[in-house]
Amino acid sequence: MPQGYYLPYIAEADEPYWHYGFGQLSKTPAGTIPKGGIVHVQRPPDSLGTHQSAHLDGVGRILIRIGKFRPAPALITNS
């Protein structure tokens, strides 16, 4: 995971994502994050932004529509 993407968020429903490119957002999604899929974001979403940069394992840096994501539950380990 790239440095700075540390907040796990989970998809509440199947959600499209777009490849990240400076000034190159296509209208067609590059793929779908399935319900329960986890992405990592740089900062907590605010009420002003509808899309946010995220990191998806196996894909890399992407753009997501943040409305259908919620913070992932904390990971508990026996260590």
Side-chain angles (χ1 to χ4, degrees), residues 25-68:
L25 182 60
S26 70
K27 293 182 186 232
T28 307
T32 303
I33 300 164
K35 180 178 180 177
I38 294 179
V39 298
H40 291 85
V41 298
Q42 292 176 318
R43 60 181 175 76
D46 57 27
S47 61
L48 299 175
T50 58
H51 290 75
Q52 185 161 346
S53 171
H55 182 270
L56 179 60
D57 288 340
V59 176
R61 196 170 176 189
I62 59 171
L63 288 175
I64 58 171
R65 196 172 33 215
I66 199 66
K68 299 286 175 117

